[in-house]
Structure formats: structure tokens, C-alpha cells
Amino acid sequence: MLRDDGVVRQMHAVVRDPAKTRLLRSRKEEPHKVRTRAGTGPVYQTTLLAKIFGLMAIKAATLDPCGVGIEMESEKPGWCDALNGLPGLLGSSLNESLELRRWVRFTQRVLPECLPDNGSLELAEETAELVQSVREALAISHHDDFFRTWDTLASLRERFRQKTWMGVNGEEKSLSRKDLEAFLSAAEKVLSHGLAKAAITGGLCSTYFINEVTEFEKLPLAEHSEDSESLPVQYVRALCFKQKPLSAFLEGPMHALRVFNSQTEARKMYQAVKSSELYDRKLKMYKLNVPLTDETFEIGRNKIFTPGWLENESIFLHMHYKFLFEILRAGLAAEYFEEMKHGIVAFMDPEIYGRSTAENSSFIASSSFPDARLHGTGFVARLSGSTVEWLSMVLHMGLGAEPFKVVAGELRFEPVPTVAGWLFSSRATVDFEKGTFGFRLFGKTWIIYHNPKRQDTFGPRGMTVARFTLQMADGKTVQHEGEFLPAELARALRDGKMKRVDIELS
């Protein structure tokens, strides 16, 4: 990567212990001494924290003209690739700005663990300038008139890319923890206002947007090369945008559930989705989107499919499962387990599903499909991410959000199961007693909960962990009283040295 002065630099992130503030970097020659071919210079190494701030800054600099979504400037629409025409309509997405908000909040929470009050973070000079400039632009922005801020951010983004197109200069600049916190605070404020502007009737939030240029000025014609027969290129500068939200998609509410601060907020969004056309009342499952009747065919192939089929109003299983998982993670356990009875393939009627209920589909034809005989039938048009979403749900039900944790400097295994009473076995089998619920951890260790009364493990009267019986790989059996396993046993479990862990609930 060759710069104007001949200096070659590449960027490379190195993961380090977050408690340390010392940069881990390779030995680098002084810039004026480096003269080498493009792409062959020394590697620039930095910390994971520095890389996170760089990515957050470039994402924040890609906010759309209304400060609501993140622009689709990569010519890709994100997860819903069937909206392949939307980037050409200056599309933007709330999904990415919601995830940026999660990232900002996460970094706000862990930054004190990474840097002391008077500490600082060294970044590549170009990255440090971007973080500072974006923070200044966001800090003086007006959420009712974001255009000027957008114009500034777009210029900062392009300037940064121009500077780093062929590498970084190798110089570093320190930003204090106060500077970093100011950046996070400014970003959080803007993103919060953006989420508020994305709200639509009924408590839902929009997911995708078309940003239409309504005012512009023409720039001088760009001259074409002599060997080209093409006409001169006319460039324009946008002066005003009108943002049009697309019809509702399930993806936006799914991401929104991740950023709410309370179960009350999450419940309102869940109820709004269930009250909308996103909910298939016949199948009791969730569709990818509401009818696209008012949308142009230019948005992409979503629009050309028959409603209820493929990526238009079908039960696109991956996103349906994502939404169910977020209901669980938001703490709406009672609602999740009620949805589970008819929203998880394993509990569906195989005669209607049309295939083994041990097998997930790409999509399920919804009740919007014209042929009622296919409503609820699963089809496989491609590989589906629904399987890994189901595995994630099982692990979250069985272990909680953070089963392995460090407390007072010591590792521990502290499972917090969230399992409905009806999921515990109603009869005994050869290997398992009545009133058990189990799964395999790390593909080798059975985790078995014992709950003879088959009571819920959540709610005011929820059952909790009381004691462990551990069957070690060497044949030994170890008993342990309490709600968690201490460091030595937790490490043995994590290292795969246990065949089975029986956990009694009380």
C-alpha cells in the first residue's frame, strides 16, 4: 500500500487482553526510511479496541441524510439480499444503525475496564482524526435537520478513504478516555433520535428506506477520454432528500428488540408485530414482510415473487427464528414458550409441513400464498441459517446469556436455565428420568436438568439450580452443592473433561 511519500503500510488488528492498555505492535521503521514496493511494506499492528473505534467511526459516518439508517453504499442491502435493487435507490437500513447502537453501548460499558480515568488509546493518525471529526459533527447535529451533518460526515468519510487508500503513514495519535467517551455519547444521542424517527403507526419501526434526492445542482460536465465513445458524465450535488420508508419488514423489529432497555419496551414491540400483517394468524408464525403492494419493482426481486412464496410474505424461517430468539433474549419468557408451541418446526404437524420435522426449511409458504393447500408447507431453496438460530435458542434456554463468567478474578460456570415446565419429559426413558430436560454442550457433554415437578424455571416461582453431579471422563463422579461450579470444575467442563452434568433444580 503505497502513499505519496512512498511509505508502504498495511493495517492489521491484534486481539489483546482488554485490561491492558499497552499497544501490541511489530517493529516499524521510521517513515522517511521506508522505500519499498506497494503492498510489501511493514505491517501496522494495533489493538482490538482501536479497531472497534475505527469501525464505529466509519459506520457513524455512513448514516443516511435523515440520521436514521446506515447507507447501502456497498451496493449490498444487508441480510435481506432479495432487496437487491434498493442500493440503487440510495437505500438505507435501520438494522445496521441499531447494531451500531448496540456496539456503542457495549463499548461504553467496557471502556472503564480497558482504560483508567487518565488513560488514552493510541490509534493510527488517520483513524484518530476520523474519530475526532465524526464526534464533532455528531455533537452539533440537529435531529430535525440532519442534512448538513450528513454532508459533513460524507465528506469526512471520503477524505478518510482517500488518505488510507494505499495505506496509513505509520504515525499514531493518542485519544484520551474522555475523548473516546465523548465520541460514544454523541453517537448514542444521534442513534437514539434516529430510532425514534423510525417509529410508524401501531408501535412498529421501519426497516428499510429509499432516500430520494428532491433538490440538486448540476456540476460541470466531466470530460471523457479521447479513446472513449461515451457521452460526458453529468455529476450533481444533492441539496435535499426525501426519505420514504418501505412497507414493514420483520428484520427491523427483530434488531430493535436487542436495544430496548426494559421488558416493557420489548413487549410493546412484540405486541405491535403480532398485531400487524407481519403475523400470519392462520399459521401463528411471522412473515418476512407485509404486502409490498405500494412498492416499486425497482426495490429488487422481493417484489416479483408471488406473495407467500420465497422472499415475499413467506415464513422465511431464518428471520422467523431470529425474531423468536430475540423475544426470549428480551426476557419475554412466557410469550416465547407460547410462540414455541406452533412456531418451531419440531412442534409442527408433519402432514402439513410436508417433510420431517427434524429438518428445517428455507421458507414455509404462508397463508398469503394463493394455493391454500400449500399453507404451512416447507420448501428448501437454499441452505438456511434457522438451524444455528435453533441451536442458539437451546443453549440460551439451557444456560442463560453468560454461563461462563469471571467473578472476582475467578472463572465459574453458573447456568441460569429458562425452560418452561412442559418441556421437561413427561415419562422416563432408558437414559433419562421423568422430569428432565437436556442437551449436549460442546458436542460431547450432556447437560441434564432434573425437575420432577415439571415447573417453570422462570417467573416469581421459577426453579433454580441447587446442586451438581458430575460424571468425569476418567469415570469418577463428583458432587457439588450450590448454584455454580468453581474455577477448577468450570475449567474441566470447558476443556471437555466431563461426560455428563446432572443439575438438580429446587
Side-chain angles (χ1 to χ4, degrees):
M1 299 183 180
L2 182 65
R3 292 178 55 84
D4 322 13
D5 57 1
V7 178
V8 178
R9 289 289 184 268
Q10 291 177 313
M11 296 190 70
H12 177 68
V14 175
V15 179
R16 57 151 173 87
D17 183 345
K20 298 179 181 178
T21 58
R22 179 175 58 86
L23 283 174
L24 303 177
R25 62 174 79 84
S26 61
R27 181 183 300 172
K28 304 188 294 292
E29 298 97 331
E30 290 299 318
H32 68 274
K33 295 181 180 179
V34 179
R35 293 292 184 270
T36 182
R37 294 184 296 107
T40 61
V43 173
Y44 173 75
Q45 295 183 345
T46 187
T47 62
L48 177 59
L49 185 60
K51 188 173 184 181
I52 286 174
F53 271 97
L55 288 171
M56 285 192 294
I58 200 69
K59 284 293 184 182
T62 317
L63 282 165
D64 65 30
C66 293
V68 178
I70 299 290
E71 293 180 12
M72 297 176 179
E73 59 157 17
S74 64
E75 300 183 2
K76 299 293 183 182
W79 179 88
C80 190
D81 52 71
L83 285 171
N84 53 317
L86 196 54
L89 300 175
L90 303 183
S92 58
S93 163
L94 188 71
N95 308 319
E96 283 73 28
S97 52
L98 287 169
E99 292 305 318
L100 177 58
R101 191 184 187 196
R102 286 182 69 206
W103 210 353
V104 166
R105 287 180 172 181
F106 167 80
T107 311
Q108 285 176 319
R109 188 171 69 252
V110 302
L111 190 60
E113 301 174 17
C114 302
L115 295 175
D117 289 340
N118 60 348
S120 61
L121 178 67
E122 293 185 72
L123 301 98
E125 185 177 64
E126 297 86 348
T127 302
E129 291 174 356
L130 177 67
V131 172
Q132 285 183 306
S133 300
V134 169
R135 186 256 298 173
E136 292 169 0
L138 295 178
I140 62 174
S141 66
H142 297 282
H143 62 272
D144 291 329
D145 182 14
F146 197 75
F147 176 81
R148 290 186 180 180
T149 302
W150 168 83
D151 198 29
T152 301
L153 291 174
S155 299
L156 292 173
R157 183 178 72 240
E158 294 308 316
R159 186 188 310 161
F160 172 76
R161 288 173 176 166
Q162 186 63 34
K163 284 184 176 181
T164 59
W165 180 253
M166 298 301 288
V168 296
N169 65 19
E171 297 297 323
E172 292 177 329
K173 183 177 180 180
S174 295
L175 293 185
S176 68
R177 180 172 140 183
K178 184 178 180 180
D179 292 332
L180 299 174
E181 289 174 336
F183 166 82
L184 295 172
S185 177
E188 164 67 16
K189 182 178 179 181
V190 168
L191 292 166
S192 296
H193 284 305
L195 176 58
K197 287 193 282 187
I200 59 177
T201 305
L204 281 177
C205 62
S206 301
T207 299
Y208 299 107
F209 306 89
I210 294 173
N211 297 285
E212 179 184 353
V213 178
T214 55
E215 294 181 30
F216 60 89
E217 63 177 356
K218 293 183 179 180
L219 300 177
L221 290 174
E223 296 183 3
H224 61 285
S225 60
E226 296 180 359
D227 59 347
S228 172
E229 298 180 359
S230 62
L231 295 174
V233 178
Q234 176 67 68
Y235 291 101
V236 299
R237 176 182 289 115
L239 301 177
C240 186
F241 285 88
K242 178 183 178 181
Q243 187 169 80
K244 176 193 173 184
L246 262 63
S247 303
F249 279 70
L250 184 61
E251 190 176 357
M254 182 275 295
H255 284 279
L257 284 173
R258 295 175 174 174
V259 302
F260 289 133
N261 294 318
S262 68
Q263 288 186 20
T264 301
E265 291 179 295
R267 185 170 284 106
K268 285 181 179 179
M269 179 62 74
Y270 161 70
Q271 291 172 343
V273 172
K274 194 161 187 174
S275 300
S276 73
E277 291 185 272
L278 289 170
Y279 185 60
D280 190 320
R281 286 160 178 77
K282 179 179 179 179
L283 301 182
K284 297 183 178 180
M285 301 178 81
Y286 294 89
K287 297 186 290 185
L288 182 65
N289 55 274
V290 302
L292 300 176
T293 310
D294 297 331
E295 305 303 335
T296 171
F297 283 96
E298 291 181 296
I299 63 173
R301 66 177 186 269
N302 281 73
K303 174 75 175 181
I304 68 170
F305 295 128
T306 303
W309 189 257
L310 280 169
E311 291 146 315
N312 183 12
E313 283 195 76
S314 74
I315 310 299
F316 210 77
L317 204 59
H318 189 188
M319 184 52 61
H320 169 70
Y321 272 21
K322 277 180 173 290
F323 182 67
L324 295 186
F325 188 22
E326 293 311 319
I327 295 173
L328 174 64
R329 295 212 301 177
L332 308 182
E335 291 87 342
Y336 168 78
F337 287 110
E338 189 60 34
E339 295 283 354
M340 188 181 187
K341 294 176 182 178
H342 36 72
I344 298 294
V345 167
F347 299 102
M348 294 179 67
D349 183 346
E351 292 296 322
I352 296 175
Y353 185 55
R355 60 197 321 118
S356 169
T357 52
E359 174 187 343
N360 283 336
S361 301
S362 302
F363 72 95
I364 294 172
S366 74
S367 61
S368 299
F369 192 66
D371 189 346
R373 295 173 299 176
L374 295 181
H375 294 174
T377 302
F379 295 88
V380 179
R382 62 173 77 177
L383 293 175
S384 174
S386 54
T387 300
V388 73
E389 298 296 338
W390 170 237
L391 291 173
S392 297
M393 281 188 265
V394 170
L395 289 175
H396 192 94
M397 285 189 290
L399 300 175
E402 193 180 4
F404 289 96
K405 61 179 68 175
V406 176
V407 179
E410 291 290 329
L411 176 70
R412 64 168 59 173
F413 174 66
E414 188 174 353
V416 181
T418 304
V419 185
W422 60 268
L423 278 173
F424 289 88
S425 59
S426 59
R427 57 186 177 84
T429 64
V430 175
D431 297 311
F432 303 105
E433 301 175 9
K434 178 182 177 181
T436 56
F437 172 89
F439 57 94
R440 279 194 176 182
L441 181 61
F442 307 136
K444 60 177 65 175
T445 304
W446 275 103
I447 306 292
I448 307 296
Y449 287 103
H450 294 260
N451 182 5
K453 295 181 180 180
R454 303 181 70 212
Q455 293 179 278
D456 295 342
T457 68
F458 56 89
R461 298 183 179 180
M463 306 288 280
T464 59
V465 173
R467 62 189 59 84
F468 297 81
T469 301
L470 314 172
Q471 294 184 19
M472 311 302 289
D474 60 8
K476 294 181 180 178
T477 299
V478 177
Q479 302 281 342
H480 182 80
E481 296 284 333
E483 298 180 348
F484 64 89
L485 294 180
E488 183 178 354
L489 294 175
R491 193 170 293 108
L493 172 60
R494 198 172 59 178
D495 292 343
K497 296 180 179 179
M498 298 181 187
K499 293 173 59 178
R500 175 166 166 156
V501 177
D502 287 85
I503 304 174
E504 293 184 43
L505 302 176
S506 65

